[in-house]
Amino acid sequence: MRLAAGCLALALAFPAAASEYHLGALDKLNIRIAEWQTVDGTFRDWSSVNGEYTVGPAGTLSVPFVGEFPASGKTTSEVAAAIGEALQRKLALPDKPEASVEMAAYRPFYISGEVQTPGQFPYVPDLTVLKAISVAGGLRRSADSGQRYDRDLITAKGNFDVLEDQRVRLIVRRARIEAEMADKPTFDVPKEVADNPKLPSIVADEMAILGADQKKLKLQLQALDELKNLLQSEIESLQQKIDNQQRQVDLAKQELASVGVLAQKGLVANTRVLTSERSIADLQGQVLDYDTAILTAKQAISKATQDGIDAENTQNATLATDRQQTESDLNATILKLNMNKGLMSEAMSGSPGSQALGGGDQQPTISFALVRVVDGKSSEIAANEDTPVQPGDVIKIKLTPAASQ
């Protein structure tokens, strides 16, 4: 299998320092846009813009109010920043909208050669050549029954690798949900997956989700607290107006009493008495209006308090549901792992030579290659079963019979 040559090509194709995924044609993105309106203290959801978008064949992305702009070669965070800045600039918004851009579906990969179902398949993260063969149904069946165990082993091992990756992600997700339910800012790495080489990136993803969820709830509660403080200040101001108004009512009543005595003696006209009574009635009406405004403000404070409680209860209910679903998915994944372990054991026991691909004088040689387009140029890279596959790659599987070796 020329392992040394494959490893050298792999090192050239995938540098040691991992980089973010860069978009390309046919990638599908899920875009959501929200705006924090400072003046009103509320969130505005751009529901008319939110949705799924596809990077076009020319590498551009078209978003309402933003227009068409280049997306090929950029990361999701760069696209999100470009959308927010474009919306603020074009619509003259005081606050920059926050855009969230997530991968909805990667552009497909292709597999050809000695597999059951060659063709185009949806890409999934952490895809390797061996996993891709499993997705394509394993190696192509032939009349040579001596190769059946090898094919079964490849299929079972590919399924096992996919399920093992899923198991690790579910365990880390469960730890993140439990930390979020306990209102902790971080979580400890579960011991049962501590030696997994992909753990740092998985933990980083879950930590990002944890931080985003807690920040969202904190902002909601903070906005409600600011609203309650504003309403409380309004109540205090209205109460001062009531006190001032009441003093004016008392003075008007004293004046009315004096005028009434003079009116009874015929020293002043009765119209002055009526004017004083009308003034007192107007002042008392304003006091009632202030009392009504205070009652309305108190009702708004009660509603804001209840909204805060509802936000916390909704998040807790969502986390409990996610925790239950994650536990169920984890149990199902473990069952499938055990099943594929049994299939691998059966395949290796049926054919001793299948314990190592290409091993033994009577075993066929399987060779792998990737055809990848970089900067508009297509090149073929020697690979092995553990070589990572990128979206848009073409995987070539060649099987050399033992007789021709």
Side-chain angles (χ1 to χ4, degrees):
M1 296 177 64
R2 300 183 180 180
L3 183 59
C7 291
L8 177 59
L10 179 61
L12 295 174
F14 298 91
S19 59
E20 289 188 274
Y21 176 72
H22 292 81
L23 301 175
L26 302 183
D27 278 338
K28 294 184 179 180
L29 305 176
N30 189 10
I31 299 178
R32 291 187 59 84
I33 301 174
E35 177 188 0
W36 169 253
Q37 297 179 324
T38 306
V39 176
D40 300 332
T42 58
F43 282 97
R44 175 189 178 190
D45 190 16
W46 292 54
S47 57
S48 59
V49 180
N50 298 340
E52 186 174 289
Y53 297 83
T54 302
V55 179
T60 59
L61 192 66
S62 180
V63 179
F65 304 113
V66 176
E68 190 170 296
F69 63 96
S72 182
K74 294 185 178 180
T75 64
T76 54
S77 58
E78 291 173 343
V79 171
I83 292 174
E85 292 170 0
L87 288 174
Q88 184 182 25
R89 183 178 65 256
K90 288 190 175 183
L91 303 181
L93 300 175
D95 299 307
K96 186 177 78 172
E98 293 294 331
S100 171
V101 179
E102 299 176 343
M103 293 299 304
Y106 294 87
R107 57 187 184 274
F109 71 95
Y110 308 84
I111 186 167
S112 65
E114 298 297 323
V115 291
Q116 285 282 19
T117 53
Q120 171 184 308
F121 297 92
Y123 179 82
V124 294
D126 300 325
L127 185 70
T128 63
V129 170
L130 186 59
K131 294 178 184 178
I133 294 175
S134 176
V135 171
L139 293 179
R140 180 177 297 167
R141 300 183 183 276
S142 64
D144 185 4
S145 60
Q147 300 178 13
R148 179 175 64 86
Y149 293 105
D150 292 337
R151 292 194 300 268
D152 293 345
L153 178 60
I154 291 175
T155 302
K157 190 175 186 303
N159 292 335
F160 181 89
D161 290 343
V162 173
L163 292 168
E164 176 61 18
D165 181 77
Q166 184 178 351
R167 182 185 74 91
V168 174
R169 293 179 182 275
L170 288 172
I171 290 175
V172 176
R173 182 183 305 169
R174 181 178 61 184
R176 185 263 301 170
I177 293 174
E178 290 174 349
E180 194 168 349
M181 294 176 70
D183 200 22
K184 294 180 179 179
T186 185
F187 60 89
D188 296 328
V189 176
K191 295 181 179 179
E192 60 264 42
V193 296
D195 57 345
N196 191 284
K198 299 177 183 177
L199 191 62
S201 62
I202 297 175
V203 171
D205 292 342
E206 293 297 333
M207 282 296 297
I209 295 174
L210 175 62
D213 289 347
Q214 291 181 337
K215 182 180 179 181
K216 178 181 178 182
L217 180 61
K218 182 179 178 181
L219 287 174
Q220 288 178 341
L221 297 178
Q222 182 179 349
L224 291 172
D225 287 339
E226 291 174 354
L227 175 61
K228 290 192 290 184
N229 292 335
L230 180 62
L231 291 171
Q232 187 61 43
S233 299
E234 182 180 351
I235 290 174
E236 294 172 359
S237 176
L238 290 170
Q239 188 61 53
Q240 292 177 358
K241 291 182 179 180
I242 289 175
D243 294 340
N244 294 334
Q245 202 76 0
Q246 192 61 50
R247 283 195 293 270
Q248 294 182 26
V249 170
D250 294 339
L251 292 174
K253 287 182 178 179
Q254 293 177 6
E255 181 182 0
L256 177 61
S258 300
V259 173
V261 173
L262 295 176
Q264 291 175 358
K265 295 179 179 181
L267 299 178
V268 296
N270 289 333
T271 55
R272 185 173 177 182
V273 175
L274 293 175
T275 300
S276 298
E277 290 177 348
R278 187 178 300 110
S279 177
I280 292 172
D282 292 339
L283 292 171
Q284 290 176 335
Q286 292 178 7
V287 171
L288 290 176
D289 291 340
Y290 292 147
D291 285 334
T292 302
I294 288 177
L295 179 60
T296 301
K298 288 182 178 179
Q299 290 175 342
I301 289 177
S302 299
K303 183 179 183 303
T305 302
Q306 186 60 45
D307 289 343
I309 295 174
D310 291 343
E312 292 180 330
N313 291 341
T314 299
Q315 186 181 45
N316 291 336
T318 301
L319 290 173
T321 302
D322 291 345
R323 173 69 169 78
Q324 184 178 7
Q325 184 62 47
T326 300
E327 193 69 36
S328 175
D329 294 343
L330 180 60
N331 292 334
T333 300
I334 292 175
L335 289 174
K336 293 178 182 178
L337 275 171
N338 293 333
M339 178 188 70
N340 280 276
K341 280 183 181 179
L343 293 175
M344 290 167 63
S345 299
E346 180 182 354
M348 287 188 291
S349 64
S351 176
S354 66
Q355 297 179 16
L357 281 177
D361 294 338
Q362 301 303 318
Q363 295 297 322
T365 298
I366 303 175
S367 60
F368 312 101
L370 296 179
V371 178
R372 179 171 300 159
V373 178
V374 179
D375 297 330
K377 297 181 179 179
S378 178
S379 60
E380 183 169 318
I381 305 169
N384 57 51
E385 60 190 37
D386 295 323
T387 300
V389 178
Q390 295 184 2
D393 282 355
V394 178
I395 307 171
K396 299 170 65 175
I397 311 297
K398 183 178 180 181
L399 190 65
T400 304
S404 63
Q405 296 178 31

